[in-house]
């Protein structure tokens, strides 16, 4: 690959092995045509899309068994697209999205080498409304609250792209920005449930990482279905 090097990983998710092309390390950078610079991606952040992160694995594992029947699904900040690959294997209606100029070719390559059909992809800037994207039943993302301003941007995305009976499922490694997002979605009528999760084999309880499920519509309260407040 011109300007940067890659490696091949085998990632086991839900009992299936996925062959994943990833960047060799966090030192990789190549932007000869300045696509990343125009997208606002600095050299320090350029390589982040191309790694297999613990939060991405946790979300992908959740997608192995999550209820997807009849749902239109959007993955935000897909990176290498582990969750989208899992959902494509399950024949879900999945649209992957990111804003890194290499996210789409890496996603398509990883789908092809796992004998999966092409996954629908959108170049999606969170701060720019896209009236053509439509609305979704399930919106997912891993570690997408890594900057303090992301909570506000993503809350606005939910207003534009969430259906009334939606679930928003996010894995968060505990960076401290999820509280603002939870507060914003509470104002939109969502209830949240939190599952503390081990993101790394060396994590010890109580875990900082968590799987956050925001529901608007029917939610479970004490094992009984109730309407989100």
């Amino acid at each position: 690959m011109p300007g940067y090097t890659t490696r091949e990983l085998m990632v086991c998710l839900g009992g299936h092995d996925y062959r994943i092309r990833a960047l060799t390390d966090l030192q990789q950078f190549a932007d000869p045509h300045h696509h990343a610079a125009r997208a606002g991606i600095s050299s320090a952040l350029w390589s982040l899309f191309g790694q297999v992160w613990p939060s991405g694995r946790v979300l992908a594992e959740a997608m192995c068994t999550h209820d997807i029947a009849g749902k239109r699904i959007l993955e935000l900040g897909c990176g290498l697209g582990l969750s989208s690959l899992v959902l494509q294997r399950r024949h879900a209606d999945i649209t992957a999205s990111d804003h890194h100029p290499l996210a789409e070719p890496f996603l398509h390559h990883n789908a092809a080498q796992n004998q999966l059909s092409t996954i629908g992809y959108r170049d999606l800037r969170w701060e720019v409304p896209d009236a053509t994207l439509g609305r979704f039943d399930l919106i997912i993302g891993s570690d997408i609250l890594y900057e303090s301003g992301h909570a506000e941007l993503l809350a606005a995305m939910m207003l534009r792209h969430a259906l009334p009976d939606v679930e928003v499922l996010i894995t968060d490694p505990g960076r401290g920005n999820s509280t603002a997002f939870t507060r914003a979605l509470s104002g939109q009528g969502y209830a949240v449930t939190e599952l503390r999760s081990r993101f790394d084999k060396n994590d010890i309880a109580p875990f900082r990482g968590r799987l956050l499920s925001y529901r608007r519509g029917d939610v479970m309260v004490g094992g009984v279905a109730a309407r989100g407040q």
Side-chain angles (χ1 to χ4, degrees):
M1 306 293 289
Y4 57 90
T5 61
T6 64
R7 56 181 173 155
E8 296 291 327
L9 304 175
M10 195 65 74
V11 181
C12 184
L13 299 165
H16 293 282
D17 287 331
Y18 291 83
R19 187 179 173 193
I20 303 296
R21 172 177 285 177
L23 294 178
T24 301
D25 51 45
L26 290 172
Q27 305 307 312
Q28 303 303 313
F29 175 72
D31 190 27
H33 304 296
H34 309 293
H35 295 314
R38 285 192 292 273
I41 301 170
S42 70
S43 58
L45 299 177
W46 186 92
S47 65
L48 298 184
F49 91 96
Q51 309 297 324
V52 175
W53 297 101
S55 54
R57 294 183 70 132
V58 170
L59 182 64
E61 282 288 354
M63 289 301 101
C64 292
T65 56
H66 202 75
D67 177 19
I68 60 170
K71 295 180 180 179
R72 187 172 187 236
I73 307 170
L74 173 67
E75 182 177 10
L76 298 171
C78 68
L80 296 175
L82 291 186
S83 291
S84 289
L85 293 170
V86 168
L87 290 166
Q88 186 75 338
R89 179 185 287 274
R90 296 183 64 196
H91 306 290
D93 181 359
I94 173 66
T95 299
S97 69
D98 206 301
H99 190 47
H100 195 288
L102 288 182
E104 183 176 14
F106 269 69
L107 176 70
H108 291 336
H109 177 87
N110 285 330
Q113 68 178 359
N114 287 283
Q115 291 77 53
L116 298 173
S117 57
T118 300
I119 298 171
Y121 177 86
R122 297 294 288 265
D123 182 348
L124 188 62
R125 296 186 62 171
W126 298 345
E127 71 275 21
V128 179
D130 183 350
T132 69
L133 184 60
R135 295 183 180 269
F136 296 84
D137 305 279
L138 175 62
I139 299 175
I140 63 174
S142 61
D143 197 6
I144 54 178
L145 294 166
Y146 56 87
E147 292 184 7
S148 58
H150 287 170
E152 181 180 356
L153 289 175
L154 289 169
M157 285 276 294
M158 300 309 118
L159 288 173
R160 296 195 295 267
H161 300 300
L163 285 166
D165 247 358
V166 70
E167 180 181 16
V168 179
L169 196 65
I170 293 175
T171 52
D172 182 76
R175 298 187 188 277
N177 298 320
S178 63
T179 300
F181 184 63
T182 297
R183 188 183 307 116
L185 262 60
S186 177
Q188 296 182 25
Y190 290 81
V192 61
T193 57
E194 175 183 302
L195 176 64
R196 295 276 178 161
S197 302
R198 175 182 277 112
F199 278 30
D200 185 90
K201 64 180 181 180
N202 297 320
D203 286 351
I204 57 175
F207 306 123
R208 290 187 63 199
R210 64 202 70 189
L211 181 64
L212 298 165
S213 173
Y214 302 87
R215 296 294 300 268
R216 191 173 60 192
D218 287 333
V219 298
M220 298 303 293
V221 179
V224 178
R227 298 297 295 178
Q229 301 297 319

